[in-house]
Amino acid sequence: MEQADSLSSSGHSDLLASVGGAPFVDWPEDLYIPPDALQVFLDAFEGPLDLLLYLIRRQNLDILNIPIAQITRQYITYIDMMSNLQLELAAEYLVMAAVLAEIKSRMLLPRQSEEDNEEDDPRAFLIRKLQEYECIKKASEEIDQLPRMERDLFEIDVDASQIAVNKPLPDVSLKEMLLAFQDVLKRAEQLSHHQIVKEPLSVRERMTSILDSLKDMKSLVFTQLFGRFEGRHGVVVSFLAILELSKEGLIDIIQPEPFDAVHIKLRSAVSIQP
Amino acid sequence: MELKRIIEALLFASNKAMSVKQLQQIFPELEQPEADDIQSAVEQLIDDYAHRAIELKKVASGYRFQVKADVSPWVGRLFEEKPPKYSRALLETLAIIAYRQPVTRGDIEDIRGVAVSSNIIKTLLEREWVRVVAHKEIPGRPALFGTTKQFLDYFNLAALSELPTLQEMADLSALAEPDQHVLQVNSEQQETNPQQNPNNEESTEAVETKTGLESAVG
Amino acid sequence: MELKRIIEALLFASNKAMSVKQLQQIFPELEQPEADDIQSAVEQLIDDYAHRAIELKKVASGYRFQVKADVSPWVGRLFEEKPPKYSRALLETLAIIAYRQPVTRGDIEDIRGVAVSSNIIKTLLEREWVRVVAHKEIPGRPALFGTTKQFLDYFNLAALSELPTLQEMADLSALAEPDQHVLQVNSEQQETNPQQNPNNEESTEAVETKTGLESAVG
């Protein structure tokens, strides 16, 4: 009770503020607050519950047994002081003042002694909140003390920059490619003037392989392009491929003399010049 | 090559914690070692480094090599940037989410008794310490927040259960408890706590509570 | 604290090599250890790690821990990335080369209606799915592209003729026009064909030849 009284004690030379006519001198000693940084004072509390807890703890009071009248008086003194100093006060602080005042008034009413239980105790709700908040406050302080990265623990950095890393190549499914091709065909059809001739693929493939074999040879005898083992089907494919290559101007079919062997050669740059 | 040696190299080269499963998946599908073998290699490595300036530590998302806390004041001098500081408001919000998850912003405000600034929630989400786990099916469908593995990793924890235990709340029913005898028993149980935990201020106070009741109720 | 232990922590935490002088400067001015002492701590550390999967190595700008060469193939797997995806344009180009070979880049652009980027051709050549089979003897001598054996191998085809014919695809899209869903199913069937019957060249080709002949002759 001494501490509580000292709150409103007068006659101190360092008068900080005047609340309701009473001089105000008692800054909380365990909080270092420069008197000219009053905003800091309010910032030091995380809210009305924090302030209440501070008042309770400072006097070694037990949460379950808060002398409501006394705490309310102190709390409201602080609030008054803060508003007198024109600090911007969060609404929550005023709400708490109202809650305290309400509890105080209810405590003054006569109690039904026998049927007393916690729901009837006007303090119960507040106590529960204070307890819960204190719990969390303690936990947050402990979390703050845990060794943590960047402050107490550091990642290690071992050089691996010289290590060769495989760059895997993208995967393609046949279906993906076919769907892409379908799109091309649709677009090509819309550009109607472009007719994509529907050659069988075996012919297109053979066209490629004939060009390939001509690359190293100046010319090939026509019959060399037909393999007996391929049968009639192969002959047809090769024949169509040669005709198509000729039509596209990629090869020349040459017969130097009548009844001589027919030769196939890549169309040379010279031959198309006039 | 010795499995332990490969695991050691992987854990050193990786820039984040790796689980046994992730380590396993580094190996080609048909050559993957058993999880048990990897686990035992990891445990041998933990022993190997027990007395060095670095340690192999299990955190929520796996194992990582880190510089031990006792040398951190020296290591801190390596970096010009000071480690980030977190406000009380942020730490309290984080604690509520950690211990009471899943919680809505309203729940947090209820417990703290003040509004929670959007910046705090944003910072927690950006650091990936907290995520939205669901939405509560009440009007407005507020987000329900929970903590992440990154939160545990950052605070050097392997699981939520490694968080400091929450102080037990003193029993509210004591307020109206008519039977003084029961109270005695309770307070004796309470009394054993402070010995286990010499700095446990809270539980000593709980004892006081019970004795203090007489004057309050009587 | 033991100097070696601090040096070890510093070398592990630093993200670049550190010289003896740099290590020395981490200490407050009046407490700086002698360079010789740091040097000898470093040398002890080199010995300590001689048989581990990492080594403390002297490089041009100082000392740093790095992964040893013998384990580096494993560490390489750690950093392997997911393969990227090829663009639609690349797939179209590849399909045109497959179906219309031998073709010049100009032909491809004609069919696609847009320019073909050099990168696409380069990628296809590098992948060895496409090669230059000849040059067309027109001004500029453009390359004629065709597919390779690697292309067939990759798609598990014995011959190009195992690809669905244009006619088959045209039929497919005609069929599928009203219902997108059918297209999906059909094209999936297409895909399974070559795999089910990788060597059944004869039967597919028989169909093709007929359709091909019609268009060639008609």
Side-chain angles (χ1 to χ4, degrees):
Chain A
M1 296 305 142
E2 280 173 13
Q3 284 172 329
D5 288 340
S6 72
L7 254 182
S8 51
S9 71
S10 55
H12 203 285
S13 52
D14 301 317
L15 192 71
L16 288 171
S18 179
V19 178
F24 197 89
V25 292
D26 185 57
W27 287 106
E29 284 163 28
D30 45 352
L31 274 177
Y32 176 69
I33 302 168
D36 56 341
L38 290 164
Q39 186 64 45
V40 176
F41 175 81
L42 191 56
D43 286 348
F45 293 105
E46 284 300 321
L49 288 172
D50 199 21
L51 174 55
L52 261 185
L53 263 186
Y54 167 76
L55 295 173
I56 292 165
R57 288 295 170 226
R58 197 172 63 124
Q59 293 167 74
N60 263 327
L61 294 173
D62 147 33
I63 287 193
L64 287 191
N65 189 25
I66 317 169
I68 282 290
Q70 182 195 333
I71 286 295
T72 305
R73 197 179 70 230
Q74 288 182 24
Y75 182 88
I76 291 175
T77 308
Y78 270 74
I79 299 301
D80 279 351
M81 178 187 75
M82 286 190 272
S83 51
N84 275 9
L85 294 168
Q86 294 177 330
L87 295 181
E88 236 179 82
L89 205 53
E92 290 99 344
Y93 284 90
L94 301 173
V95 170
M96 179 58 73
V99 169
L100 285 169
E102 193 212 342
I103 295 172
K104 188 172 146 192
S105 62
R106 282 179 59 194
M107 294 288 284
L108 293 174
L109 296 173
R111 310 174 63 137
Q112 297 173 318
S113 56
E114 295 308 310
E115 298 296 312
D116 231 3
N117 62 44
E118 72 172 87
E119 273 97 73
D120 287 341
D121 193 311
R123 296 167 303 171
F125 178 71
L126 179 63
I127 288 169
R128 209 187 274 284
K129 297 210 83 163
L130 280 169
Q131 282 182 326
E132 168 103 37
Y133 176 68
E134 186 169 41
C135 239
I136 287 298
K137 189 181 158 182
K138 282 244 158 71
S140 76
E141 285 162 7
E142 285 185 57
I143 287 178
D144 198 21
Q145 294 305 307
L146 289 176
R148 68 164 96 131
M149 297 307 283
E150 299 178 284
R151 187 187 69 184
D152 312 300
L153 302 165
F154 294 90
E155 285 174 22
I156 55 121
D157 194 315
V158 168
D159 185 32
S161 57
Q162 302 304 311
I163 289 173
V165 180
N166 269 352
K167 287 229 169 88
L169 296 166
D171 274 320
V172 177
S173 73
L174 188 58
K175 182 178 142 196
E176 273 179 282
M177 192 182 69
L178 293 178
L179 287 174
F181 194 44
Q182 265 179 345
D183 280 359
V184 174
L185 291 182
K186 261 187 222 152
R187 285 209 312 267
E189 269 165 39
Q190 277 159 8
L191 300 167
S192 59
H193 65 276
H194 218 94
Q195 195 62 36
I196 297 182
V197 185
K198 297 177 175 63
E199 262 99 24
L201 277 167
S202 46
V203 171
R204 306 290 330 179
E205 191 174 31
R206 186 64 52 96
M207 287 163 71
T208 299
S209 69
I210 289 173
L211 282 179
D212 215 29
S213 34
L214 281 171
K215 204 154 58 170
D216 307 323
M217 306 285 229
K218 276 200 165 161
S219 70
L220 282 170
V221 180
F222 190 61
T223 49
Q224 277 182 296
L225 294 168
F226 299 91
R228 185 165 304 192
F229 58 92
E230 287 182 313
R232 251 174 59 190
H233 172 70
V235 172
V236 171
V237 167
S238 290
F239 187 65
L240 288 172
I242 291 165
L243 289 180
E244 189 62 30
L245 283 170
S246 166
K247 195 176 110 192
E248 291 186 14
L250 295 170
I251 56 167
D252 289 319
I253 305 170
I254 298 156
Q255 192 176 31
E257 308 273 334
F259 307 110
D260 204 350
V262 175
H263 283 74
I264 306 288
K265 56 182 282 194
L266 275 179
R267 177 165 294 182
S268 64
V270 183
S271 71
I272 57 164
Q273 272 163 11
Chain B
M1 182 172 320
E2 203 193 340
L3 178 62
K4 191 175 96 173
R5 194 176 172 80
I6 299 171
I7 301 292
E8 185 181 14
L10 291 173
L11 288 169
F12 267 121
S14 170
N15 42 21
K16 54 187 197 320
M18 290 189 82
S19 66
V20 167
K21 201 183 167 102
Q22 286 168 327
L23 287 165
Q24 201 174 24
Q25 282 166 348
I26 295 294
F27 294 84
E29 219 165 314
L30 297 172
E31 300 168 34
Q32 283 178 4
E34 295 293 322
D36 283 353
D37 294 339
I38 293 177
Q39 184 70 49
S40 97
V42 166
E43 253 132 60
Q44 284 173 47
L45 286 167
I46 291 176
D47 283 350
D48 289 357
Y49 284 90
H51 302 293
R52 302 230 64 105
I54 54 166
E55 62 187 332
L56 181 54
K57 168 94 185 166
K58 183 182 170 66
V59 290
S61 50
Y63 295 88
R64 72 170 174 225
F65 275 110
Q66 59 191 32
V67 177
K68 276 192 193 150
D70 66 328
V71 272
S72 62
W74 298 100
V75 175
R77 299 175 66 95
L78 260 182
F79 308 106
E80 271 177 30
E81 249 177 83
K82 288 261 169 291
K85 278 207 140 197
Y86 297 101
S87 67
R88 267 185 65 196
L90 181 136
L91 288 166
E92 285 183 14
T93 304
L94 181 61
I96 292 169
I97 297 174
Y99 284 93
R100 299 281 184 242
Q101 58 188 308
V103 285
T104 64
R105 187 162 164 170
D107 297 334
I108 299 167
E109 294 182 337
D110 226 33
I111 294 174
R112 295 193 60 232
V114 281
V116 171
S117 93
S118 296
N119 267 336
I120 287 180
I121 301 283
K122 204 175 131 224
T123 305
L124 290 174
L125 287 169
E126 277 172 0
R127 290 236 58 169
E128 293 187 330
W129 289 351
V130 152
R131 73 202 156 107
V132 174
V133 288
H135 288 266
K136 198 168 184 174
E137 289 306 333
I138 54 171
R141 298 190 77 246
L144 283 161
F145 297 102
T147 52
T148 61
K149 276 187 181 175
Q150 286 90 326
F151 159 72
L152 294 171
D153 287 353
Y154 190 84
F155 288 96
N156 207 29
L157 304 168
L160 269 178
S161 56
E162 286 185 5
L163 277 174
T165 34
L166 265 194
Q167 309 283 354
E168 280 303 311
M169 279 195 264
D171 191 356
L172 254 191
S173 65
L175 263 181
E177 186 55 70
D179 191 348
Q180 206 60 34
H181 196 65
V182 179
L183 268 182
Q184 292 298 341
V185 176
N186 278 346
S187 58
E188 265 159 26
Q189 284 173 343
Q190 292 281 0
E191 233 165 335
T192 57
N193 281 339
Q195 281 159 353
Q196 292 162 343
N197 263 335
N199 296 324
N200 197 332
E201 193 187 335
E202 192 62 10
S203 46
T204 357
E205 261 165 75
V207 177
E208 268 167 44
T209 307
K210 304 284 153 64
T211 52
L213 245 181
E214 280 171 283
S215 56
V217 175
Chain C
M1 181 170 322
E2 205 191 335
L3 178 63
K4 190 176 95 174
R5 194 178 173 78
I6 299 171
I7 300 293
E8 185 181 14
L10 290 173
L11 288 170
F12 265 120
S14 170
N15 46 18
K16 53 187 197 315
M18 289 188 83
S19 65
V20 167
K21 198 177 170 100
Q22 284 168 326
L23 287 165
Q24 199 175 27
Q25 281 165 350
I26 295 294
F27 294 84
E29 220 166 316
L30 298 171
E31 299 168 33
Q32 281 179 5
E34 296 295 321
D36 282 353
D37 293 339
I38 293 177
Q39 186 67 49
S40 99
V42 166
E43 250 128 65
Q44 283 174 49
L45 285 167
I46 291 177
D47 281 352
D48 288 358
Y49 283 88
H51 301 291
R52 303 232 61 106
I54 53 167
E55 61 190 333
L56 182 53
K57 180 122 196 197
K58 186 178 171 68
V59 292
S61 54
Y63 294 90
R64 73 169 306 170
F65 278 106
Q66 57 185 39
V67 176
K68 274 198 193 145
D70 66 329
V71 274
S72 58
W74 296 99
V75 175
R77 297 181 61 93
L78 183 67
F79 300 117
E80 230 169 70
E81 281 164 30
K82 278 240 160 71
K85 290 211 86 185
Y86 283 138
S87 66
R88 190 77 177 180
L90 182 137
L91 294 176
E92 289 182 8
T93 305
L94 178 62
I96 291 168
I97 295 174
Y99 278 92
R100 295 288 305 146
Q101 61 189 289
V103 283
T104 65
R105 184 161 157 177
D107 297 335
I108 300 168
E109 292 180 340
D110 256 10
I111 296 170
R112 288 194 60 229
V114 282
V116 171
S117 93
S118 301
N119 267 337
I120 287 179
I121 303 285
K122 202 173 136 230
T123 305
L124 290 172
L125 287 169
E126 277 172 0
R127 189 88 200 236
E128 295 188 324
W129 283 351
V130 153
R131 70 201 153 117
V132 175
V133 289
H135 288 269
K136 196 165 184 175
E137 292 305 336
I138 55 171
R141 295 190 77 245
L144 283 160
F145 297 103
T147 53
T148 61
K149 190 162 177 329
Q150 286 89 328
F151 166 81
L152 294 176
D153 289 347
Y154 185 87
F155 290 103
N156 203 20
L157 303 168
L160 208 59
S161 50
E162 285 184 4
L163 283 173
T165 60
L166 292 186
Q167 190 58 55
E168 279 164 4
M169 278 203 289
D171 290 350
L172 260 183
S173 29
L175 256 175
E177 210 92 51
D179 188 354
Q180 204 62 27
H181 197 68
V182 179
L183 174 74
Q184 294 294 346
V185 175
N186 279 344
S187 56
E188 264 158 28
Q189 284 173 344
Q190 289 286 356
E191 197 183 13
T192 57
N193 272 342
Q195 280 155 0
Q196 283 169 346
N197 256 338
N199 296 320
N200 197 341
E201 193 180 340
E202 204 58 27
S203 56
T204 13
E205 227 165 312
V207 178
E208 256 169 58
T209 312
K210 265 182 230 150
T211 55
L213 267 174
E214 276 164 2
S215 57
V217 173

